[in-house]
Amino acid sequence: MAPRHTPGRVVLVGGGPGDPDLLTVRALRHLRSADVVVADRLGPTSVLDDLPLRVEIIDVGKAPGRHAMSQERIDELIVERARRGQVVVRLKGGDPFVLGRGGEEVLACRDAGVEVEVVPGISSALAVPALAGVPSTHRGVVGAVHVTHGHEPLTATATSAVVTGEATLVVLMGVARLAEHAASLLAAGAAPSIPVAVVESGSTPDERVTRAPLSQVAAVAAQIGVRSPAVVVVGAVAAEGFLDARALVEAVA
Protein backbone atom coordinates (compact mmCIF):
# COMPACT_ATOMS: atom_id res chain seq x y z
CA MET A 1 0.00 0.00 0.00
CA ALA A 2 1.25 3.48 -0.86
CA PRO A 3 2.12 5.67 2.13
CA ARG A 4 -0.64 7.99 3.33
CA HIS A 5 -0.22 11.75 3.38
CA THR A 6 -1.69 11.86 6.91
CA PRO A 7 0.08 10.61 10.05
CA GLY A 8 -0.50 7.00 10.93
CA ARG A 9 -1.52 5.77 14.33
CA VAL A 10 -1.80 2.66 16.47
CA VAL A 11 -4.91 1.33 18.19
CA LEU A 12 -4.44 -1.33 20.86
CA VAL A 13 -7.64 -3.36 20.79
CA GLY A 14 -8.67 -5.76 23.52
CA GLY A 15 -10.48 -8.58 21.79
CA GLY A 16 -11.86 -10.41 24.80
CA PRO A 17 -11.46 -14.11 25.61
CA GLY A 18 -12.16 -15.55 22.16
CA ASP A 19 -15.83 -15.44 21.22
CA PRO A 20 -16.26 -12.71 18.56
CA ASP A 21 -19.61 -11.81 20.13
CA LEU A 22 -17.67 -10.45 23.10
CA LEU A 23 -15.86 -7.83 21.02
CA THR A 24 -16.94 -4.30 21.82
CA VAL A 25 -18.61 -2.17 19.17
CA ARG A 26 -15.63 0.19 19.21
CA ALA A 27 -13.18 -2.68 18.76
CA LEU A 28 -15.04 -3.99 15.74
CA ARG A 29 -15.23 -0.52 14.20
CA HIS A 30 -11.47 -0.07 14.47
CA LEU A 31 -10.78 -3.52 13.04
CA ARG A 32 -12.93 -2.84 9.98
CA SER A 33 -11.28 0.52 9.31
CA ALA A 34 -7.67 -0.59 9.80
CA ASP A 35 -4.98 -0.74 7.15
CA VAL A 36 -3.15 -3.50 8.97
CA VAL A 37 -4.04 -5.75 11.93
CA VAL A 38 -1.21 -7.15 14.03
CA ALA A 39 -2.86 -10.09 15.74
CA ASP A 40 -2.09 -12.34 18.69
CA ARG A 41 -2.79 -16.07 18.76
CA LEU A 42 -5.45 -15.77 21.45
CA GLY A 43 -8.64 -13.77 21.31
CA PRO A 44 -11.31 -13.56 18.58
CA THR A 45 -9.08 -14.51 15.63
CA SER A 46 -12.06 -15.81 13.64
CA VAL A 47 -13.21 -12.22 13.15
CA LEU A 48 -10.17 -11.64 10.94
CA ASP A 49 -11.77 -13.72 8.18
CA ASP A 50 -14.63 -11.23 7.95
CA LEU A 51 -12.55 -8.08 7.57
CA PRO A 52 -12.36 -6.24 4.22
CA LEU A 53 -9.87 -7.78 1.79
CA ARG A 54 -7.80 -4.58 1.80
CA VAL A 55 -6.88 -5.13 5.47
CA GLU A 56 -3.44 -6.72 5.84
CA ILE A 57 -3.20 -9.34 8.61
CA ILE A 58 0.11 -9.98 10.37
CA ASP A 59 0.22 -12.94 12.76
CA VAL A 60 2.57 -12.33 15.70
CA GLY A 61 0.98 -14.90 17.99
CA LYS A 62 2.93 -16.51 20.78
CA ALA A 63 2.35 -20.16 21.63
CA PRO A 64 3.92 -22.20 24.47
CA GLY A 65 7.49 -22.88 23.40
CA ARG A 66 7.12 -20.90 20.17
CA HIS A 67 7.25 -17.16 19.80
CA ALA A 68 6.34 -16.06 16.31
CA MET A 69 7.84 -12.63 17.00
CA SER A 70 9.57 -11.10 20.00
CA GLN A 71 7.86 -8.32 21.93
CA GLU A 72 10.63 -5.93 20.92
CA ARG A 73 10.05 -6.71 17.26
CA ILE A 74 6.29 -6.28 17.67
CA ASP A 75 6.90 -2.83 19.15
CA GLU A 76 9.14 -1.96 16.21
CA LEU A 77 6.60 -3.30 13.70
CA ILE A 78 3.61 -1.30 14.89
CA VAL A 79 5.70 1.88 15.08
CA GLU A 80 7.19 1.29 11.64
CA ARG A 81 3.79 0.76 10.02
CA ALA A 82 2.29 3.80 11.71
CA ARG A 83 5.19 5.91 10.48
CA ARG A 84 4.27 4.83 6.94
CA GLY A 85 0.95 6.58 7.49
CA GLN A 86 -1.05 3.42 8.16
CA VAL A 87 -3.75 2.84 10.77
CA VAL A 88 -2.42 -0.11 12.74
CA VAL A 89 -4.74 -2.16 14.95
CA ARG A 90 -2.90 -4.30 17.46
CA LEU A 91 -5.43 -7.03 18.27
CA LYS A 92 -4.79 -8.62 21.64
CA GLY A 93 -6.67 -11.28 23.56
CA GLY A 94 -8.51 -10.16 26.68
CA ASP A 95 -7.67 -6.61 27.74
CA PRO A 96 -4.42 -4.91 26.67
CA PHE A 97 -3.64 -3.74 30.21
CA VAL A 98 -4.42 -6.99 32.06
CA LEU A 99 -1.25 -9.06 31.67
CA GLY A 100 -1.30 -8.15 27.99
CA ARG A 101 1.89 -6.05 27.77
CA GLY A 102 -0.20 -3.22 26.42
CA GLY A 103 1.65 -0.69 28.55
CA GLU A 104 4.92 -1.60 26.85
CA GLU A 105 3.40 -1.04 23.43
CA VAL A 106 1.93 2.30 24.45
CA LEU A 107 5.34 3.42 25.70
CA ALA A 108 6.99 2.27 22.45
CA CYS A 109 4.54 4.35 20.43
CA ARG A 110 4.85 7.42 22.61
CA ASP A 111 8.65 7.23 22.60
CA ALA A 112 8.50 7.18 18.80
CA GLY A 113 6.05 10.09 18.64
CA VAL A 114 3.27 7.88 17.26
CA GLU A 115 -0.35 8.51 18.23
CA VAL A 116 -1.78 5.57 20.17
CA GLU A 117 -5.26 4.76 21.45
CA VAL A 118 -6.34 1.94 23.76
CA VAL A 119 -9.66 0.15 23.36
CA PRO A 120 -10.35 -1.88 26.52
CA GLY A 121 -11.44 -5.47 26.12
CA ILE A 122 -13.30 -7.98 28.25
CA SER A 123 -10.56 -9.61 30.31
CA SER A 124 -10.48 -13.41 30.33
CA ALA A 125 -9.56 -13.18 34.02
CA LEU A 126 -13.18 -12.37 34.85
CA ALA A 127 -15.13 -13.32 31.72
CA VAL A 128 -13.91 -16.91 31.32
CA PRO A 129 -14.82 -17.97 34.87
CA ALA A 130 -18.16 -16.12 34.60
CA LEU A 131 -19.09 -17.88 31.37
CA ALA A 132 -18.27 -21.19 33.04
CA GLY A 133 -20.56 -20.39 35.97
CA VAL A 134 -17.77 -19.38 38.37
CA PRO A 135 -18.36 -15.96 39.96
CA SER A 136 -15.18 -14.18 40.99
CA THR A 137 -16.84 -12.63 44.05
CA HIS A 138 -20.00 -13.37 45.98
CA ARG A 139 -21.56 -11.39 48.81
CA GLY A 140 -20.99 -13.09 52.13
CA VAL A 141 -18.32 -15.43 50.74
CA VAL A 142 -15.52 -13.42 49.14
CA GLY A 143 -15.33 -9.77 48.15
CA ALA A 144 -12.04 -9.43 46.29
CA VAL A 145 -10.12 -10.94 43.36
CA HIS A 146 -6.37 -11.31 42.94
CA VAL A 147 -5.30 -11.76 39.31
CA THR A 148 -1.80 -12.96 38.45
CA HIS A 149 0.11 -14.81 35.73
CA GLY A 150 1.43 -18.32 36.07
CA HIS A 151 4.85 -17.97 34.48
CA GLU A 152 6.63 -17.63 37.84
CA PRO A 153 6.15 -18.81 41.44
CA LEU A 154 3.15 -17.28 43.16
CA THR A 155 3.84 -14.11 45.11
CA ALA A 156 3.31 -13.80 48.84
CA THR A 157 0.23 -11.68 48.18
CA ALA A 158 -1.32 -14.27 45.87
CA THR A 159 -0.55 -17.04 48.34
CA SER A 160 -2.03 -15.09 51.24
CA ALA A 161 -5.25 -14.51 49.29
CA VAL A 162 -5.82 -18.27 49.13
CA VAL A 163 -4.61 -19.16 52.62
CA THR A 164 -6.80 -16.51 54.29
CA GLY A 165 -9.69 -16.78 51.87
CA GLU A 166 -9.76 -13.00 51.57
CA ALA A 167 -9.71 -13.06 47.76
CA THR A 168 -10.37 -15.40 44.89
CA LEU A 169 -7.11 -16.20 43.09
CA VAL A 170 -7.28 -16.13 39.30
CA VAL A 171 -4.20 -17.34 37.43
CA LEU A 172 -3.79 -16.68 33.71
CA MET A 173 -1.33 -18.80 31.74
CA GLY A 174 -1.03 -21.11 34.73
CA VAL A 175 -1.29 -24.63 33.30
CA ALA A 176 2.43 -25.34 32.92
CA ARG A 177 3.16 -24.62 36.59
CA LEU A 178 -0.14 -25.78 38.06
CA ALA A 179 1.46 -28.55 40.13
CA GLU A 180 4.12 -26.18 41.45
CA HIS A 181 1.58 -23.53 42.37
CA ALA A 182 -0.70 -26.02 44.12
CA ALA A 183 2.21 -27.43 46.10
CA SER A 184 3.37 -23.99 47.19
CA LEU A 185 -0.13 -23.04 48.36
CA LEU A 186 -0.43 -26.24 50.38
CA ALA A 187 3.01 -25.72 51.88
CA ALA A 188 1.95 -22.21 52.92
CA GLY A 189 -1.01 -23.56 54.85
CA ALA A 190 -3.86 -23.52 52.34
CA ALA A 191 -6.53 -26.12 53.10
CA PRO A 192 -6.26 -29.20 50.82
CA SER A 193 -10.02 -29.05 50.26
CA ILE A 194 -10.06 -25.55 48.72
CA PRO A 195 -11.92 -25.79 45.39
CA VAL A 196 -10.08 -25.18 42.13
CA ALA A 197 -11.63 -24.75 38.68
CA VAL A 198 -9.57 -24.84 35.48
CA VAL A 199 -11.39 -23.45 32.45
CA GLU A 200 -9.79 -24.34 29.12
CA SER A 201 -10.51 -22.41 25.91
CA GLY A 202 -13.10 -20.27 27.68
CA SER A 203 -15.91 -18.73 25.61
CA THR A 204 -15.18 -21.01 22.63
CA PRO A 205 -16.88 -24.24 21.45
CA ASP A 206 -13.89 -26.14 22.91
CA GLU A 207 -14.46 -24.87 26.45
CA ARG A 208 -13.91 -27.46 29.18
CA VAL A 209 -14.16 -27.02 32.94
CA THR A 210 -12.20 -29.23 35.33
CA ARG A 211 -12.85 -29.03 39.07
CA ALA A 212 -10.91 -30.64 41.90
CA PRO A 213 -9.72 -29.80 45.42
CA LEU A 214 -6.37 -28.05 45.68
CA SER A 215 -4.60 -31.21 46.85
CA GLN A 216 -5.73 -33.16 43.78
CA VAL A 217 -6.07 -30.63 40.98
CA ALA A 218 -2.59 -31.12 39.50
CA ALA A 219 -3.03 -34.90 39.27
CA VAL A 220 -6.53 -34.60 37.82
CA ALA A 221 -5.41 -32.02 35.25
CA ALA A 222 -2.48 -34.19 34.19
CA GLN A 223 -4.68 -37.28 33.91
CA ILE A 224 -7.20 -35.69 31.57
CA GLY A 225 -4.65 -33.62 29.63
CA VAL A 226 -5.57 -30.06 30.54
CA ARG A 227 -3.92 -27.67 28.08
CA SER A 228 -3.42 -23.96 27.52
CA PRO A 229 -5.07 -21.54 27.12
CA ALA A 230 -6.77 -21.90 30.47
CA VAL A 231 -7.80 -19.82 33.45
CA VAL A 232 -7.26 -21.28 36.92
CA VAL A 233 -9.61 -20.15 39.71
CA VAL A 234 -8.79 -20.97 43.34
CA GLY A 235 -11.26 -20.34 46.13
CA ALA A 236 -14.72 -21.15 47.47
CA VAL A 237 -16.45 -19.79 44.35
CA ALA A 238 -14.80 -22.51 42.23
CA ALA A 239 -16.75 -25.32 43.91
CA GLU A 240 -18.99 -27.52 41.80
CA GLY A 241 -22.56 -26.22 42.06
CA PHE A 242 -21.49 -23.13 44.00
CA LEU A 243 -24.44 -21.15 42.67
CA ASP A 244 -26.85 -23.84 43.83
CA ALA A 245 -28.85 -22.35 46.72
CA ARG A 246 -27.95 -25.11 49.19
CA ALA A 247 -24.25 -24.93 48.34
CA LEU A 248 -24.29 -21.19 48.92
CA VAL A 249 -25.84 -21.57 52.34
CA GLU A 250 -23.09 -24.01 53.29
CA ALA A 251 -20.35 -21.70 51.92
CA VAL A 252 -21.64 -18.68 53.83
CA ALA A 253 -22.03 -20.70 57.02
Side-chain angles (χ1 to χ4, degrees):
M1 175 178 287
R4 290 169 175 252
H5 296 295
T6 56
R9 61 194 182 95
V10 173
V11 185
L12 303 186
V13 168
D19 185 341
D21 285 349
L22 296 176
L23 272 168
T24 65
V25 173
R26 181 178 295 182
L28 192 56
R29 184 173 71 245
H30 279 298
L31 283 165
R32 288 173 174 167
S33 62
D35 293 315
V36 56
V37 174
V38 179
D40 276 349
R41 178 179 68 96
L42 302 178
T45 54
S46 61
V47 75
L48 300 176
D49 296 332
D50 298 326
L51 297 183
L53 293 178
R54 61 171 180 74
V55 180
E56 179 184 1
I57 310 295
I58 302 177
D59 177 13
V60 297
K62 304 179 182 70
R66 178 188 68 84
H67 286 190
M69 188 177 293
S70 70
Q71 184 62 50
E72 292 74 17
R73 179 58 189 125
I74 292 172
D75 294 347
E76 293 171 356
L77 174 65
I78 60 178
V79 166
E80 171 191 328
R81 289 307 190 94
R83 281 177 165 170
R84 292 187 193 180
Q86 294 182 315
V87 175
V88 182
V89 168
R90 174 74 172 101
L91 178 61
K92 307 172 77 68
D95 180 273
F97 283 176
V98 181
L99 301 177
R101 305 188 74 170
E104 297 173 46
E105 294 175 3
V106 167
L107 288 172
C109 291
R110 289 179 176 170
D111 288 346
V114 169
E115 178 186 346
V116 59
E117 175 185 350
V118 177
V119 177
I122 298 175
S123 173
S124 58
L126 302 181
V128 165
L131 290 167
V134 180
S136 298
T137 66
H138 192 89
R139 186 164 62 92
V141 179
V142 63
V145 185
H146 184 95
V147 179
T148 189
H149 65 78
H151 294 316
E152 299 172 359
L154 296 176
T155 65
T157 304
T159 300
S160 176
V162 175
V163 173
T164 63
E166 292 180 351
T168 300
L169 177 63
V170 177
V171 185
L172 304 183
M173 302 164 284
V175 171
R177 303 186 79 153
L178 179 60
E180 176 187 332
H181 293 160
S184 69
L185 290 171
L186 292 167
S193 60
I194 291 176
V196 181
V198 183
V199 187
E200 299 170 76
S201 301
S203 85
T204 76
D206 298 323
E207 179 178 295
R208 178 171 66 162
V209 184
T210 301
R211 287 183 171 86
L214 181 62
S215 61
Q216 300 175 26
V217 67
V220 171
Q223 181 180 17
I224 67 173
V226 168
R227 301 177 62 184
S228 296
V231 176
V232 180
V233 184
V234 185
V237 294
E240 183 75 44
F242 175 79
L243 292 179
D244 174 78
R246 185 170 59 183
L248 269 175
V249 170
E250 295 174 352
V252 174

